[in-house]
Amino acid sequence: MIKKFLALALIPVLALSLGACTKQTEPQSLYGFPEPTTEIHVTYHGSGAVATYSFTEHDDMLPIMQWYYGLKLKNVAVEPAAVEGNEFFEIMVNGSNVFAYDNRGSKAYLYVNDLIYEVKNPSNPPVDS
């Protein structure tokens, strides 16, 4: 009887523990675009090229904000190893570097506030890269 009680008591604890391991981090809890956002600059690094895209109109900045807020993130403990062939985006908002996005094809990482997050739904920011 005691074993059955202990087993039943441990089920919620296990469920909570497993849920904590897979919990997603919401992008807006890491960085929120300020009001007003007056400019966004995206610097693209890939295929040996560097390009900078500047946006100052609200309608042009909105897709980048929506893309960011739509990311599904999982915290990672260690920095991924360097690779070749990735696409790297540095995002500057209102004159401050705020986050970076590293797309490696099937895997992508977001760097924000000195932390690294695996992106569960990789896609590049909506700029012409």
Side-chain angles (χ1 to χ4, degrees), residues 15-80:
L16 287 173
S17 298
L18 291 174
C21 292
T22 60
K23 186 179 178 189
Q24 292 189 121
T25 300
E26 297 297 324
Q28 56 268 31
S29 70
L30 304 173
Y31 175 78
F33 287 88
E35 186 57 48
T37 296
T38 58
E39 60 184 7
I40 297 176
H41 299 282
V42 179
T43 302
Y44 166 80
H45 304 266
S47 302
V50 176
T52 300
Y53 304 91
S54 298
F55 306 94
T56 57
E57 299 295 324
H58 178 73
D59 289 347
D60 296 333
M61 294 185 286
L62 194 57
I64 296 169
M65 293 177 194
Q66 291 170 333
W67 164 81
Y68 173 77
Y69 289 136
L71 296 176
K72 307 281 187 236
L73 306 174
K74 178 182 169 188
N75 196 357
V76 293
V78 295
E79 184 165 357

